[in-house]
Amino acid sequence: MAAFEDDLLALLPRLRRFARALARNPADADDLCQMALEKALLGKASWQPGTRMDSWMYRIMRNSWIDMARSRQRAGQTFLDADAGADIGVDGGAEARIALSEVDAALHALPDEQREAVALVLVEGLAYKEAAEVLDVPMGTLTSRLVRGRQALMARLGETL
């Protein structure tokens, strides 16, 4: 099963990116990524060789995120934003960071369903069919969420339709 762990390790940057899109907070994203990896390692017997590991991991991560959100809602916990002051005193690249920050804010302003669709298709590059399977929705629902998400992003970023 060393190949399993190697494949999982190769997916780590993409998993962290998807976790960040779901969680909207770097610390929560790291926790989510760790939780999903732990579940994958414990349940590696349920993964079928020859299938797409990235889709399997995105589904585990999404389900983990739903579990985290439900438990937080029940517990009524609140967290400080870990991004506060993260870039203070950093030199260079200010314009790029501002632009990236605007895109990140626009993405995080989307409703959860649209943000998930945009993150999987536009950021992670999954095919519509794969993304629909990860989100467990019909293709038409995914397409609708994606169209509305793109329009909302373009409107928020000042692009013309």
Side-chain angles (χ1 to χ4, degrees), residues 117 121 126-148:
V121 174
L126 261 63
Y128 283 26
K129 182 179 178 184
E130 295 166 341
E133 289 173 2
V134 168
L135 297 175
D136 197 26
V137 297
M139 277 281 273
T141 302
L142 174 77
T143 304
S144 174
R145 290 176 182 178
L146 194 54
V147 166
R148 285 183 276 132

Side-chain angles (χ1 to χ4, degrees), residues 4 8 11 15 18-19 22 31-48 51-68 116 120 126 133-136:
F4 176 86
L8 198 57
L11 277 177
L15 295 173
F18 185 56
L22 291 175
D31 290 344
L32 176 60
C33 197
Q34 181 176 345
M35 183 185 306
L37 288 169
E38 180 180 350
K39 286 181 179 183
L41 289 170
L42 290 172
K44 67 182 174 183
S46 68
W47 180 70
Q48 299 172 350
T51 61
R52 291 200 51 166
M53 182 178 275
D54 58 349
S55 295
W56 184 68
M57 282 304 302
Y58 289 139
R59 185 175 208 103
I60 289 173
M61 185 168 289
R62 181 173 181 265
N63 290 338
S64 297
W65 174 245
I66 291 169
D67 292 345
M68 279 178 70
E116 290 173 346
L120 287 173
L126 261 63
E133 289 173 2
V134 168
L135 297 175
D136 197 26

Side-chain angles (χ1 to χ4, degrees), residues 105-125:
L107 181 65
H108 292 305
L110 294 176
D112 291 343
E113 296 84 13
Q114 292 175 15
R115 189 177 67 254
E116 290 173 346
V118 167
L120 287 173
V121 174
L122 299 180
V123 177
E124 294 303 323

